Amino acid sequence: MTSSSRFMPEIRRRTLLAGAGSTALLAVAGAARAQDAVSGELVILNWLGGSELDMMHSIQKAFLAKYPNVTIREVVVTGQGDMRGGIRTALMGGEVVDVLINTWPAFRKELADAGMLRPVDDQWKSFGWDKLISQSWKDLGAIDGKTYGLTYTFGDRSGIWYKKEHLAKAGITEPPKTWDEFVASFSKLTQAGYAAPVAIPGKYWAHAEWFETLLLRTAGVETATKLAAHEIPWTDPAVKTALTKYAQMLTSGCCGAPNTMLANDWDGEADQIFQANAKNYLLIGMWMNNRAKNDYKLVEGKDYGLFQFPSLGMGHDDTSSVDAKELLVTTNGPNPKAADAFLDFWTSANAANILAKAGYASPSSNVDASLYGEAQKVATQAVANSKLQFVLGDLLPGDLVDEYRVQLQKFLQDPSDANIDTVLAAIETKAQGSY
């Protein structure tokens, strides 16, 4: 099903429902230089929603103000959960786009292997991105020595969101710093009248967040990297240790009934904390900051905050899970000059500061860091001071990540030691045929 609508004079949208499938696109060369004239229609495949979409549109509008001879048409993929299937369906259905928004390194490789993506190494030099974006971010967007992605925002995925009045009501003077303090806070919050201290969104993917940071804190980034590449099996004792810690949280009265966890995605659980005042802690990405500021109209640092994942004392507390969103350009996009100019615009002070005001971090040195609020400062400091590992689920092949998330849903329903073995064995079986 598709539909078209105009939400601003310069931008047109076409919407597709998420599905599945894959295809290769024909390769067509093209690269813009900063001095080239930029005009014509720019087609962007966009799957963002809510206040994050509003942020994207604000930057698009600023881009169009700089390049008045350009119009933007959005191919909008809608759905729930992981959006990779919807993007594949759009491309398989014949959509030809100039720019893709991506957050999955494994998906970038899939698209590059299919000949769909145009490298941007020349653009790094001609536009001077190497003077604005660190080499580490360039490396993050590279495959086999070729750079494909331009990271436009990044996030701390080991930060826990909370509403400050909840802790105060429970007599908790500051966010817990250690795992034992964190678990001990559950009873205090329950006694204060809250239904469940920890919000676990188990419907699609967000329930894996806890496991992924626990794996880092119990075994380190090296182990997580090896697991992502299947250099160690999912049945490895280090993986079981992380799930055992997760089980400790579940059996300590953190989260309520499993069917409630499995019924809700991250946004519904966020509502339970910040609107219904029924729950207290949410481990989720930095887009929560944008939602809290713009959807809930809360004041960052006053009404809500972010604290880093509690320390476990197992030798790996200097680790954090991170994510990033990037822009990719296609090999057959009809307007490569506008596509490259669009990527370049995201490194500008104009775009970077729109991001900062909306609650997102920008990797560009053009950003005015004074615009960051309390939560974003906590997150950027944590990222700067940690050994980093990209979100595990985003590194896994598409068929394996689905099995991984389903098995963790089964774990939520039965966190027993025996079922942990069963769950990990099932993921390992799938992994053996996925690489």
Side-chain angles (χ1 to χ4, degrees):
M1 174 184 289
T2 64
S3 62
S4 297
S5 64
R6 285 181 176 270
F7 60 90
M8 61 177 68
E10 307 92 339
I11 303 176
R12 294 185 292 120
R13 309 178 81 193
R14 186 180 178 210
T15 303
L16 299 97
L17 298 179
S22 64
T23 189
L25 299 178
L26 297 176
V28 177
R33 295 298 183 268
Q35 68 271 21
D36 291 340
V38 180
S39 62
E41 182 180 70
L42 175 67
V43 185
I44 302 173
L45 196 152
N46 189 358
W47 46 270
L48 304 177
S51 53
E52 188 173 13
L53 179 62
D54 294 338
M55 175 275 294
M56 175 61 69
H57 287 162
S58 294
I59 292 181
Q60 289 180 5
K61 196 170 184 178
F63 170 78
L64 293 173
K66 181 176 181 180
Y67 296 100
N69 294 324
V70 175
T71 60
I72 291 177
R73 178 168 66 88
E74 282 190 332
V75 175
V76 182
V77 177
T78 63
Q80 292 181 309
D82 195 316
M83 299 303 295
R84 281 176 276 189
I87 297 171
R88 292 189 194 98
T89 297
L91 298 176
M92 185 177 66
E95 292 292 343
V96 177
V97 303
D98 296 292
V99 177
L100 295 166
I101 298 169
N102 180 56
T103 193
W104 309 273
F107 190 48
R108 184 206 312 129
K109 187 176 189 306
E110 176 186 330
L111 296 173
D113 288 347
M116 298 181 182
L117 301 182
R118 176 164 54 88
V120 291
D121 291 285
D122 289 345
Q123 289 82 338
W124 277 87
K125 295 178 181 179
S126 63
F127 286 108
W129 298 343
D130 53 346
K131 297 179 179 63
L132 300 171
I133 308 289
S134 72
Q135 182 67 36
S136 60
W137 291 117
K138 183 179 181 183
D139 293 342
L140 182 68
I143 302 170
D144 297 331
K146 292 184 178 181
T147 310
Y148 291 94
L150 176 69
T151 298
Y152 70 82
T153 191
F154 63 92
D156 173 21
R157 292 287 280 269
S158 293
I160 298 174
W161 300 91
Y162 70 103
K163 201 168 183 179
K164 294 197 171 186
E165 68 179 43
H166 293 178
L167 299 195
K169 182 179 177 182
I172 302 171
T173 56
E174 61 180 2
K177 291 183 172 61
T178 69
W179 183 255
D180 289 343
E181 289 175 355
F182 179 63
V183 174
S185 73
F186 299 165
S187 60
K188 296 178 182 179
L189 289 162
T190 302
Q191 290 169 10
Y194 299 105
V198 179
I200 299 285
K203 190 173 184 179
Y204 297 111
W205 57 269
H207 56 298
E209 301 285 294
W210 290 93
F211 165 74
E212 294 185 9
T213 290
L214 283 167
L215 179 65
L216 292 177
R217 293 301 177 91
T218 57
V221 296
E222 296 83 3
T223 298
T225 299
K226 290 178 180 178
L227 183 63
H230 202 221
E231 294 173 2
I232 60 172
W234 284 83
T235 52
D236 190 277
V239 185
K240 183 173 180 178
T241 296
L243 264 191
T244 300
K245 277 292 183 183
Y246 198 166
Q248 179 191 357
M249 188 177 81
L250 292 169
T251 56
S252 297
C254 70
C255 309
N259 62 339
T260 302
M261 292 185 256
L262 296 173
N264 290 301
D265 200 2
W266 74 269
D267 50 355
E269 289 298 274
D271 291 348
Q272 286 295 302
I273 295 174
F274 297 103
Q275 289 186 315
N277 293 307
K279 299 182 181 181
N280 311 109
Y281 300 128
L282 178 64
L283 178 65
I284 206 70
M286 293 306 297
W287 58 87
M288 182 65 242
N289 201 29
N290 184 270
R291 184 178 181 87
K293 292 160 71 85
N294 295 288
D295 292 2
Y296 302 144
K297 307 302 180 185
L298 299 176
V299 178
E300 181 180 358
K302 177 184 176 183
D303 298 323
Y304 69 95
L306 177 79
F307 65 94
Q308 201 62 5
F309 202 91
S311 62
L312 274 72
M314 297 178 68
H316 303 289
D317 289 324
D318 59 344
T319 58
S320 292
S321 176
V322 295
D323 65 1
K325 286 191 173 70
E326 64 184 7
L327 300 168
L328 306 171
V329 291
T330 63
T331 52
N332 72 333
N335 199 343
K337 289 182 179 180
D340 291 347
F342 184 69
L343 267 61
D344 180 54
F345 185 74
W346 282 84
T347 70
S348 69
N350 194 343
N353 292 338
I354 291 173
L355 276 165
K357 291 175 184 177
Y360 293 96
S362 169
S364 173
S365 61
N366 275 326
V367 70
D368 180 358
S370 68
L371 296 173
Y372 290 149
E374 177 189 284
Q376 188 62 70
K377 288 178 180 177
V378 169
T380 52
Q381 182 177 7
V383 170
N385 296 334
S386 295
K387 296 176 182 176
L388 303 177
Q389 171 68 20
F390 209 89
V391 175
L392 177 62
D394 292 348
L395 296 172
L396 300 178
D399 55 345
L400 176 59
V401 76
D402 291 340
E403 183 69 18
Y404 159 66
R405 291 164 177 166
V406 168
Q407 290 300 325
L408 287 187
Q409 289 172 330
K410 294 179 180 179
F411 161 77
L412 292 179
Q413 298 172 75
D414 176 11
S416 67
D417 193 67
N419 195 45
I420 288 175
D421 289 336
T422 300
V423 161
L424 293 179
I427 301 174
E428 173 59 21
T429 298
K430 186 68 175 182
Q432 289 176 5
S434 298
Y435 289 84

